[in-house]
Amino acid sequence: MQNLKKTYSDLPKDFHRSIDPMPVIKPKLICLNHELANDLSIDTTDEIQLLQYFSGNEVPEKSSAIAMAYAGHQFGNFVPQLGDGRAMLIGELYDNEGKLKDIQLKGSGVTAFSRQGDGRSAIGPVIREYIISEAMHAMNIPTTRALAAVSTGEHVFRETALKGGILTRVSNSLVRVGTFEFFRARQDFQNLRVLSDFTIDRLYPEISEEEDKYLSLFNRIAKKQSILISKWMGVGFIHGVMNTDNCSISGETIDYGPCAFMDEYDPNAVFSSIDRQGRYRFNNQPKIALWNLSCLAGCLMPIIQGEQEEREEKIQASLEETAKDIDLLINEEMVRKIGLEHSDESETLLQDLLKNMHEDGSDFTLTFRSLIAASEKKYEGFLSNFKQAGRAKEWLKDWERIINNQKTKDQNNLAEKLRLINPIYIPRNHLIEKAIKDIENNEDDTFFYQLLEATSKPYLDQKNMDLLSLPPEEEERVTQTFCGT
Ligand code: AMP
Ligand code: MG
C-alpha cells in the first residue's frame, strides 16, 4: 500500500472533505481477497499491517483519507448534498493492466457528510456486499469489488446492538451521477468541467480530443449503464436503491444495500423494505436507468457545445438512442439465455417462457440453467420448474424448432453456450443470511467460504455444492432486505 495515488484528493477543495480517521477497538480480518490484492500489487504477507489499514486504524503513507462530495435524487427527490457519510477514500492504486482503481473503506466512521449517521456499518451488510459483489464479478457483471472485510470489535446501534464491520471496496471510479448533480445544483460550471475532464481522463481517454467531448462523455456513460442493466436483468438481480447517488459513471454496480437476486420469477419483484411504491422493482430498472441518465444529461447540458436549442436536440437524440439501446441489449441478453440469436421469433418465444415462468412461479436461475440438459434431450429438469407441464412441453417443442432453424456453425455447441450464460450458483438471499448468521453468532466462517467458492465459479457444476444451487425452503425464504445503514 505504499504506491497510493491521490488524483481525487488533488481536485479542488469542493470535491471532498478530509477525514479524521476513527480507530476501532479490536479489528479482526474476516476475509482478504488475495487475488484482487495481487492484481493491485498489494503485499499480503503482512496481514497484521493490512488489518491496520483496512480497519482505518492506520492510514497508509501518502493516503488521502477523504470523503467525496455528491448530491443525488433519492426515490425521485433531489437532495443537494449527500456525500460519503460512512466511507473514506484512501487513494488509488494501479492494477496489473495499468488501470487506476479507487480504494475506499466503508463503515470507517463519521465524516463531514454523516449528518445524523454514525458513519459505521454492521457486519451483516459488509458480508453481504462482499459475497454479492464478488459473485457479480464472477458473472462478468461490472461491479465494485471487495478487497477486505473486517469486524471492528465494536457495536453499532440500529434497532438492536449489532456487531460492527468495515468493507474495503475497489472501483474503476466512485464518481456518480450525483457527483455531477452536486456541482450542477450549485451552478458551478467550472468544477463541472473539472469533474468531466477528470472522468474522461480516468475512464474514457479516447474521447479527450473530441470537439464535443462532453456529449461523447454522456454517450459513453449511457452505453455503460445500458450494458449494466441488461446484465442485471439477465441474472434476475434487483438493485433496490437506484438513486442517482448510487448510479456510477463507470457503469459498475455500486452500493449493495437492499439488493437481491430473485428466486421465483416475478417481473414486479421488490425486496427493499424502503421501496414501498416499487419504484425500483425488477422490471422498472431499465426505465429508472434512463431516468437517472436524463438527470446526468441535465447536468452536462450547459457544457456541451452549441446554442441552447442545439444542445437540447443533441441530448434528446442521445436519450432516445439510449432508450432503444437498453431495450435491445436486454432482449439480446435474454434470448442468448435460451441459446438464440435476436429476432422477432426469438423474442416472442422468450416472452412465452417468461409468462409461463411467472404464472408457474418457476425459479429464474434454475429454469434457464435446465435448458442445458434440455438441449441434450433430457427434459425432466426443465419441466420440473413448471406446474403446467403440458404448456412447458409445448414451449420446448417451439424452442427446438427455432433452435434448428437458427442453427449456424457456431450454434453447434448449444449446451456449452447455455452453460456460459446461465449460472447455477447465485448468492441467494437465504444463503447470504445463513453466512451472516454463522459469522455473527458463532464466528463460524465455513459456510461463508463455501458460498464464496460456489458463486466465484457460477457456471461450473461443483461437487457437494447442490444445496447452494437450490431455492429456499418455505421457512428459509427471505422476503425483505434492508439498507446497509
Ligand atoms: P446509501 O443509501 O447507502 O447509498 O446512502 C445514502 C447516503 O446516506 C449517503 O450519503 C451515505 O453516506 C449516507 N449514510 C448511509 N449510512 C450512513 C451511516 N451509518 N452514517 C452516516 N451516513 C450514512
Ligand atoms: Mg450510496
Side-chain angles (χ1 to χ4, degrees):
M1 302 282 278
Q2 305 309 317
N3 312 322
L4 281 164
K5 305 280 172 247
K6 304 201 299 182
T7 66
Y8 206 83
S9 77
D10 286 343
L11 290 174
K13 66 173 181 25
D14 288 347
F15 281 75
H16 44 71
R17 302 277 189 286
S18 60
I19 297 175
D20 277 335
M22 292 171 63
V24 293
I25 294 175
K26 208 176 161 202
K28 205 175 143 201
L29 203 56
I30 301 172
C31 191
L32 176 64
N33 190 335
H34 286 266
E35 173 229 311
L36 182 57
N38 286 341
D39 190 39
L40 295 166
S41 305
I42 296 172
D43 177 5
T44 53
T45 48
D46 190 352
E47 281 198 0
I48 293 171
Q49 180 61 63
L50 285 183
L51 179 60
Q52 292 295 96
Y53 295 149
F54 296 144
S55 61
N57 277 8
E58 203 179 303
V59 175
E61 228 177 282
K62 299 187 202 158
S63 150
S64 58
I66 53 166
M68 296 164 80
Y70 52 86
H73 277 89
Q74 299 193 305
F75 290 90
N77 303 309
F78 187 59
V79 185
Q81 180 162 309
L82 287 164
D84 291 331
R86 55 170 162 167
M88 173 163 77
L89 182 71
I90 59 171
E92 302 123 30
L93 284 175
Y94 282 104
D95 70 5
N96 284 341
E97 287 175 8
K99 271 208 227 153
L100 207 52
K101 306 273 177 171
D102 288 350
I103 317 290
Q104 191 191 53
L105 270 54
K106 198 171 160 188
S108 46
V110 291
T111 76
F113 303 119
S114 294
R115 291 167 291 166
Q116 310 304 318
D118 60 0
R120 293 294 186 197
S121 179
I123 214 176
V126 168
I127 292 167
R128 205 158 197 279
E129 176 155 350
Y130 198 109
I131 295 169
I132 303 181
S133 62
E134 286 305 295
M136 294 292 259
H137 171 73
M139 291 187 288
N140 306 312
I141 301 176
T143 176
T144 58
R145 297 203 54 194
L147 178 59
V150 162
S151 61
T152 61
E154 297 180 0
H155 282 99
V156 296
F157 299 92
R158 300 294 180 256
E159 266 147 36
T160 53
L162 300 167
K163 289 181 182 167
I166 298 175
L167 180 85
T168 302
R169 63 179 176 177
V170 176
S171 166
N172 284 327
S173 169
L174 288 162
V175 171
R176 308 116 196 276
V177 168
T179 320
F180 285 82
E181 290 180 301
F182 180 85
F183 293 110
R184 179 67 182 88
R186 288 157 180 76
Q187 310 272 10
D188 185 348
F189 301 124
Q190 183 172 340
N191 274 332
L192 207 50
R193 282 197 183 84
V194 172
L195 176 63
S196 301
D197 288 338
F198 175 86
T199 303
I200 290 172
D201 187 48
R202 175 78 175 267
L203 297 172
Y204 308 106
E206 68 280 7
I207 61 170
S208 62
E209 299 299 320
E210 281 185 20
E211 210 177 295
D212 204 353
K213 59 181 175 180
Y214 301 133
L215 179 67
S216 292
L217 174 62
F218 175 77
N219 290 334
R220 296 285 154 139
I221 298 171
K223 183 79 189 181
K224 292 261 176 161
Q225 275 294 321
S226 305
I227 294 171
L228 180 65
I229 302 303
S230 71
K231 300 269 178 199
W232 286 358
M233 302 306 280
V235 294
F237 177 77
I238 302 144
H239 182 282
V241 237
M242 289 176 71
N243 294 335
T244 54
D245 52 301
N246 294 334
C247 178
S248 137
I249 45 91
S250 66
E252 291 171 330
T253 315
I254 179 178
D255 277 9
Y256 292 87
C259 61
F261 287 84
M262 59 174 133
D263 297 303
E264 73 275 8
Y265 174 63
D266 174 5
N268 293 313
V270 177
F271 288 86
S272 167
S273 60
I274 55 168
D275 189 6
R276 292 191 192 92
Q277 315 284 326
R279 179 181 168 91
Y280 300 137
R281 65 187 180 275
F282 180 66
N283 253 9
N284 214 32
Q285 297 187 119
K287 223 168 94 189
I288 292 293
L290 205 62
W291 194 92
N292 288 346
L293 287 167
S294 66
C295 291
L296 177 66
C299 296
L300 289 171
M301 183 87 82
I303 59 169
I304 67 173
Q305 296 218 327
E307 296 299 321
Q308 176 71 9
E309 206 173 310
E310 195 187 335
R311 284 187 257 154
E312 279 173 16
E313 276 170 18
K314 286 193 212 175
I315 283 289
Q316 193 53 35
S318 285
L319 281 170
E320 280 166 23
E321 197 51 43
T322 305
K324 281 191 232 149
D325 202 30
I326 295 186
D327 279 348
L328 180 65
L329 285 164
I330 294 171
N331 291 340
E332 285 175 347
E333 181 76 9
M334 295 306 294
V335 296
R336 258 200 299 275
K337 287 177 73 69
I338 55 174
L340 294 177
E341 272 152 34
H342 190 247
S343 71
D344 287 349
E345 195 180 35
S346 318
E347 182 57 24
T348 308
L349 188 76
L350 170 77
Q351 291 309 328
D352 285 348
L353 176 65
L354 291 174
K355 183 167 166 285
N356 294 351
M357 286 166 65
H358 184 206
E359 285 177 12
D360 285 6
S362 314
D363 185 82
F364 185 86
T365 306
L366 293 186
T367 304
F368 284 107
R369 181 75 179 181
S370 65
L371 286 172
I372 301 171
S375 75
E376 290 159 343
K377 311 249 178 265
K378 289 172 257 167
Y379 304 120
E380 226 171 273
F382 178 79
L383 294 173
S384 72
N385 291 297
F386 295 90
K387 292 189 187 113
Q388 304 180 59
R391 201 167 62 173
K393 276 183 193 157
E394 284 304 309
W395 186 88
L396 276 176
K397 268 194 216 152
D398 288 341
W399 181 57
E400 287 183 336
R401 179 176 50 77
I402 297 174
I403 289 279
N404 287 329
N405 287 348
Q406 280 197 4
K407 220 169 207 168
T408 53
K409 256 195 193 135
D410 74 323
Q411 271 212 310
N412 284 336
N413 201 348
L414 179 60
E416 199 47 32
K417 275 177 84 170
L418 291 167
R419 193 183 308 282
L420 292 177
I421 192 165
N422 294 312
I424 177 163
Y425 306 108
I426 52 157
R428 295 176 188 264
N429 270 329
H430 69 291
L431 302 174
I432 300 173
E433 286 308 305
K434 176 168 166 47
I436 293 172
K437 281 213 178 90
D438 283 0
I439 293 183
E440 245 182 350
N441 299 342
N442 309 319
E443 296 200 10
D444 178 357
D445 58 12
T446 321
F447 189 73
F448 166 78
Y449 277 105
Q450 237 177 32
L451 184 54
L452 213 53
E453 176 68 17
T455 53
S456 66
K457 298 186 192 86
Y459 305 109
L460 184 73
D461 288 291
Q462 295 169 56
K463 266 194 197 148
N464 307 322
M465 293 280 197
D466 285 355
L467 275 178
L468 298 188
S469 70
L470 298 178
E473 298 290 342
E474 201 47 42
E475 68 280 6
E476 292 175 315
R477 282 172 74 87
V478 176
T479 52
Q480 251 196 346
T481 50
F482 299 87
C483 273
T485 46

